Amino acid sequence: MSFLQIEPVRILLYLVGICAFVGANAAYLVLAERKGAGRIQRRPGPNEAGFGGILQPVADGIKLLAKQVMVPPGTDALLFRAAPLMVMAPPLMCLAMIPFSDSIVARHLNVGLLFVFSFGSINVMALMLGGWASRNKFAIISSARVVSQNVAYEIPMLLVVITLLMVTGTMDLNEIIHQQGGGIWHWNLFKVWVNPLMPVTFVIFFICMLAETNRAPFDMAEAESELVAGAFTEYGGMGFGVFFMAEYANIVVGCSLATVLFLGGWQSPIGVLSGGLWGAGWFLLKLYGLIFTVIWIRWTFPRTQFYSLLNLSWKILIPISLFTLLLTGAMMKLPVVYHQFF
Amino acid sequence: MIAHKDLVPLGRVGDSPQETFVLNLGPQHPAAHGVLRVLLTMDGEWIQRAEPIIGYIHRMHEKMGENRTWAKFLPNTSRIDYLSAMHYTHAFVGAVERAAKIEVPLRAEYARVITSELNRISSHMVWWGALLLDLGGFTPILYAFDDREKILDLLEALCGARLTYCYYRFGGLYNDVDDAFLKGTRDFVAHLRPRLKMYRDLVTDNIILRKRLTGIGPISADLCRRYGATGPVIRGAGVAYDVRRAEPYSVYPKLDFKIPTYSEADSMARYLVRMDEMEESLHIIEQALDQIPTGPFLGKVPRVLKLPVGDTCYAVEAARGRFMVRIVSDGKEIPYRVKLRTPSFSNLSLYEEASKGMILPDALAMMGSLDLVIPDIDR
């Protein structure tokens, strides 16, 4: 047994590793977002701090840290302070379940998927509390929006995941990835013989993920042209910074989940070279591909209306995901029924 | 889809207390475009009453007109609506020329039309970008400013200013339009046509944009008439009212152009009217470039300008609607009264009535489609 496999060392190593991964991602995805936005908008983006703007996140961090953390009078001080912590903790917990490669996973759990979803749902509570504790009308409107939006989108997302669970038969994330080995056509996304609507379920999952993470075009929580800064209106300094970082941490979690469930996780698209660090490489490649799509969408589309957002979920996504659930069940059971009778 | 009329708060049970709250939108709010303040009485996200409060950027332009000479007031006019400064100087210059019976050379009139229409495009470009910004689309404004930059460069070469032009003078222009400008304008027309097509494909036909604007914030022709709303607002209500056609001025009667109207009267109609207007402006510019004669650019103007006693009006079609200057002269070097009739003021005044019962994001989308410039309201 090597030194790294001693349990306390392992826990410490992964704790530091995940915190560093989330921190680095949150910081540099902000830069990537601003650079990406710059490219889409035909301007260079931040390019002053460091070489090509590479030190911009450091500069931003110093600025945010140097600011006074102000708790405005009249707010619920305890909740106001607690909300940034509550928004940051769930993505950290979720990432403990995500297998970065065959062997790199913080905690192997046979109900990993359930774990990720249960912690993922706490995020909305933090936003709601932050908005409520602010005692600001804009923030309270935003809190109300966040709750109804997240409730609406949790349902189709879970229905899609149930469909997937019927196909995989396990909640163990690493096992789900193992099943998708052997090339791109084995990925759940392309398993059309199991369910011809599999690509559609992926699209639903992706849309729900955008809505759950409050990203454009569903950024009702922040909606700066309507609600100033939504739930974060009263936050300044690092309080705001943590909300901001949590948004990106949530995107990382959501995109890694989409990668694991639909895009084969660390499996290579050509069927070979998916072990060890190669696997981690493939995983990160797919992950950042999805994250880039998220950024791309944000800078391309205007914001939707709140009621059409809810309509989309209740009237379109939920019926479709229910139908795919039914179809998958039928497709799985029909051969059995067929063999029984013929 | 839910039609807008179905979007009313759910019926209340019995006589439960109806709680409303007052939301103070502005004067510093990202959607207020300057210092407009709207006091919203809200029932949840539904607006019960929206009361615009203006005056935060009042600069007493009309009073300033009463204590300086006719020529000295001219630069003020370009600072009323800084986005369509050409039209505003045109109205004041035109009023003084009408009162003093100053002949304007034909070349100057054509140059005025070209620069006015360029200014209309640049103003609509800002509106377009800002509206999309209100709707949460961040990218279009940078493309719009990219195109607008080209217009600003052209006009800067003519008169030295990029925003608050003071290019028109009594009896003509400050400076002759040179060949470089005429060629640059022709190039710009060729440049903007494909860009407008691109905007149509990428933005106008975007399903989210369509859903956010179609059927939102209907403003009927009747409402426009009652509040005196003009410009794209009334043309979006299906009334082909355009000062260039209704009270012809300059050389507009010699030019062929359509007045785009849409009868839907919603925010999308106003959006489409402005998008079509940009194309029409390009069409007008092309004709004016073909017809512009050579000759002097400044007519005969007396050294000391004293207007005969009387009352003169001159209206132009500014980017936001009918802008009218009424000057009253008592025969002195200094005006007795300068009255400015600004389109944004009338377009805003219907907001309280039109926004009743809308939800907040839709009301802001409608406000964006009115294309308000706050200094134009407060003047």
Side-chain angles (χ1 to χ4, degrees):
Chain A
M1 199 190 220
S2 84
F3 173 71
L4 289 178
Q5 279 161 316
I6 307 167
E7 194 56 23
V9 177
R10 212 181 99 91
I11 291 177
L12 196 66
L13 203 69
Y14 275 108
L15 186 67
V16 173
I18 286 175
C19 286
F21 182 73
V22 169
N25 263 299
Y28 274 88
L29 281 181
V30 177
L31 181 66
E33 170 122 48
R34 291 173 66 183
K35 278 281 183 192
R39 288 293 155 207
I40 290 170
Q41 299 171 346
R42 306 177 25 143
R43 57 187 175 86
N47 60 355
E48 289 293 328
F51 177 73
I54 200 88
L55 291 179
Q56 187 65 38
V58 182
D60 286 347
I62 291 172
K63 185 201 81 173
L64 287 173
L65 280 173
K67 280 187 170 178
Q68 183 189 5
V69 178
M70 217 178 69
V71 181
T75 56
D76 189 327
L78 182 70
L79 287 181
F80 189 81
R81 287 201 179 90
L85 302 179
M86 284 186 60
V87 79
M88 201 60 202
L92 286 174
M93 296 295 288
C94 291
L95 271 178
M97 291 298 122
I98 304 289
F100 284 76
S101 89
D102 200 2
S103 50
I104 307 175
V105 51
R107 176 61 65 178
H108 184 253
L109 204 66
N110 58 0
V111 287
L113 195 56
L114 191 64
F115 185 94
V116 169
F117 272 99
S118 37
F119 271 91
S121 308
I122 297 179
N123 176 33
V124 44
M125 217 154 76
L127 284 177
M128 186 190 81
L129 284 182
W132 178 254
S134 296
R135 296 284 192 274
N136 176 309
K137 289 168 193 165
F138 290 113
I140 289 174
I141 293 178
S142 159
S143 298
R145 284 183 179 192
V146 167
V147 173
S148 47
Q149 174 178 347
N150 278 266
V151 168
Y153 278 85
E154 201 102 311
I155 297 168
M157 195 171 196
L158 286 175
L159 283 174
V160 163
V161 170
I162 291 171
T163 313
L164 207 77
L165 282 180
M166 284 165 62
V167 178
T168 59
T170 173
M171 281 200 177
D172 183 341
L173 291 177
N174 224 345
E175 180 57 33
I176 291 174
I177 298 175
H178 272 292
Q179 287 173 359
Q180 303 178 60
I184 194 166
W185 53 92
H186 288 288
W187 293 0
N188 280 335
L189 173 60
F190 299 112
K191 277 190 180 160
V192 280
W193 60 89
V194 185
N195 175 356
L197 289 177
M198 218 53 176
V200 178
T201 59
F202 173 69
V203 172
I204 294 178
F205 185 88
F206 195 74
I207 291 175
C208 293
M209 190 206 77
L210 283 180
E212 289 272 299
T213 51
N214 293 316
R215 282 292 296 196
F218 307 119
D219 56 341
M220 294 300 146
E222 218 186 316
E224 62 291 292
S225 57
E226 299 153 20
L227 300 179
V228 189
F232 328 129
T233 308
E234 293 292 338
Y235 282 91
M238 212 52 208
F240 179 77
V242 170
F243 272 114
F244 210 61
M245 280 167 71
E247 182 183 329
Y248 289 94
N250 278 319
I251 293 166
V252 172
V253 171
C255 287
S256 0
L257 206 59
T259 311
V260 167
L261 294 181
F262 287 95
L263 303 180
W266 41 261
Q267 296 282 7
S268 116
I270 42 174
V272 289
L273 290 176
S274 31
L277 283 180
W278 277 102
W282 289 122
F283 179 79
L284 291 179
L285 192 70
K286 294 170 191 172
L287 174 62
Y288 288 118
L290 278 182
I291 291 176
F292 172 72
T293 316
V294 172
I295 292 176
W296 186 17
I297 288 174
R298 170 163 181 190
W299 298 103
T300 310
F301 290 118
R303 190 181 305 119
T304 54
Q305 281 148 322
F306 191 61
Y307 47 85
S308 46
L309 174 90
L310 294 183
N311 274 344
L312 177 69
S313 173
W314 293 105
K315 290 187 179 168
I316 300 174
L317 296 185
I318 292 180
I320 294 179
S321 50
L322 271 175
F323 177 70
T324 53
L325 182 68
L326 203 68
L327 190 70
T328 315
M331 295 267 295
M332 285 169 78
K333 282 300 168 198
L334 271 182
V336 182
V337 176
Y338 183 83
H339 284 301
Q340 211 165 11
F341 287 103
F342 303 101
Chain B
M1 271 321 296
I2 284 192
H4 189 262
K5 61 179 165 47
D6 300 332
L7 281 170
V8 289
L10 294 173
R12 284 164 203 288
V13 185
D15 43 36
S16 61
Q18 184 168 331
E19 255 189 81
T20 57
F21 62 96
V22 175
L23 189 68
N24 187 24
L25 197 94
Q28 286 159 358
H29 185 276
H33 298 297
V35 285
L36 176 64
R37 178 171 165 220
V38 187
L39 267 186
L40 301 165
T41 308
M42 309 269 291
D43 177 12
E45 276 212 49
W46 276 273
I47 294 174
Q48 285 197 337
R49 178 155 189 256
E51 184 190 351
I53 296 171
I54 59 172
Y56 285 88
I57 194 167
H58 193 67
R59 290 148 303 161
M60 301 185 294
H61 275 303
E62 292 185 359
K63 189 70 192 163
M64 272 195 250
E66 293 170 20
N67 54 30
R68 56 201 62 202
T69 60
W70 299 101
K72 275 184 181 167
F73 183 65
L74 183 55
N76 281 51
T77 52
S78 62
R79 280 148 181 85
I80 298 164
D81 178 353
Y82 47 78
L83 287 181
S84 66
M86 285 290 184
H87 308 119
Y88 281 54
T89 42
H90 197 167
F92 183 64
V93 160
V96 171
E97 283 160 358
R98 190 174 277 170
K101 304 208 167 46
I102 299 172
E103 275 295 313
V104 183
L106 207 53
R107 184 174 175 82
E109 290 285 21
Y110 274 102
R112 282 179 182 181
V113 166
I114 295 172
T115 47
S116 278
E117 294 307 317
L118 280 176
N119 198 179
R120 190 184 313 280
I121 295 173
S122 77
S123 171
H124 281 355
M125 279 289 175
V126 176
W127 154 79
W128 182 68
L131 172 72
L132 264 292
L133 212 53
D134 281 356
L135 300 181
F138 299 92
T139 303
I141 193 165
L142 286 127
Y143 282 74
F145 269 64
D146 203 12
D147 289 337
R148 182 171 175 265
E149 188 72 14
K150 293 191 166 58
I151 299 178
L152 298 194
D153 286 345
L154 284 171
L155 296 180
E156 185 187 12
L158 274 190
C159 58
R162 290 171 65 80
L163 195 67
T164 51
Y165 322 105
C166 191
Y167 181 51
Y168 307 159
R169 295 292 152 89
F170 306 132
L173 307 167
Y174 158 65
N175 205 355
D176 196 8
V177 280
D178 52 1
D179 291 342
F181 171 79
L182 295 179
K183 192 187 169 302
T185 309
R186 232 176 247 286
D187 291 347
F188 174 75
V189 172
H191 159 85
L192 195 65
R193 282 245 162 81
R195 294 279 282 199
L196 285 177
K197 189 188 174 303
M198 182 175 90
Y199 299 152
R200 199 160 50 234
D201 293 344
L202 289 180
V203 180
T204 309
D205 289 343
N206 182 301
I207 179 163
I208 298 180
L209 180 100
R210 290 250 167 203
K211 280 196 172 173
R212 288 227 44 187
L213 294 182
T214 312
I216 301 301
I219 297 174
S220 64
D222 176 53
L223 194 65
C224 291
R225 283 207 185 91
R226 272 192 284 130
Y227 285 95
T230 47
V233 178
I234 197 165
R235 288 197 285 275
V239 181
Y241 176 77
D242 189 318
V243 181
R244 290 173 291 181
R245 195 58 61 73
E247 304 164 47
Y249 60 97
S250 198
V251 286
Y252 280 111
K254 295 183 190 171
L255 301 167
D256 163 53
F257 60 94
K258 285 200 290 287
I259 303 173
T261 56
Y262 286 84
S263 54
E264 288 85 356
D266 56 358
S267 298
M268 194 68 201
R270 296 188 280 279
Y271 176 97
L272 290 172
V273 163
R274 289 201 184 86
M275 294 313 265
D276 289 359
E277 263 180 33
M278 283 199 259
E279 308 235 355
E280 282 306 315
S281 290
L282 288 181
H283 185 53
I284 295 174
I285 291 170
E286 266 186 341
Q287 294 175 59
L289 284 173
D290 290 338
Q291 295 176 16
I292 186 165
T294 51
F297 62 90
L298 196 60
K300 273 205 179 324
V301 187
R303 275 267 161 223
V304 178
L305 192 61
K306 278 186 185 166
L307 262 53
V309 179
D311 188 340
T312 319
C313 292
Y314 196 93
V316 296
E317 181 67 26
R320 275 153 205 83
R322 182 174 196 263
F323 175 64
M324 191 194 72
V325 173
R326 177 183 175 197
I327 48 174
V328 182
S329 171
D330 53 0
K332 296 210 186 81
E333 278 177 59
I334 290 170
Y336 176 76
R337 173 85 168 95
V338 178
K339 157 79 183 139
L340 308 164
R341 187 257 179 231
T342 55
S344 290
F345 182 81
S346 317
N347 293 358
L348 175 72
S349 25
L350 55 74
Y351 189 72
E352 182 171 348
E353 191 172 331
S355 68
K356 210 159 268 174
M358 292 176 82
I359 70 171
L360 180 64
D362 286 352
L364 291 176
M366 183 183 84
M367 192 194 276
S369 79
L370 290 177
D371 189 14
L372 302 171
V373 164
I374 311 306
D376 186 35
I377 297 169
D378 287 348
R379 54 186 184 275

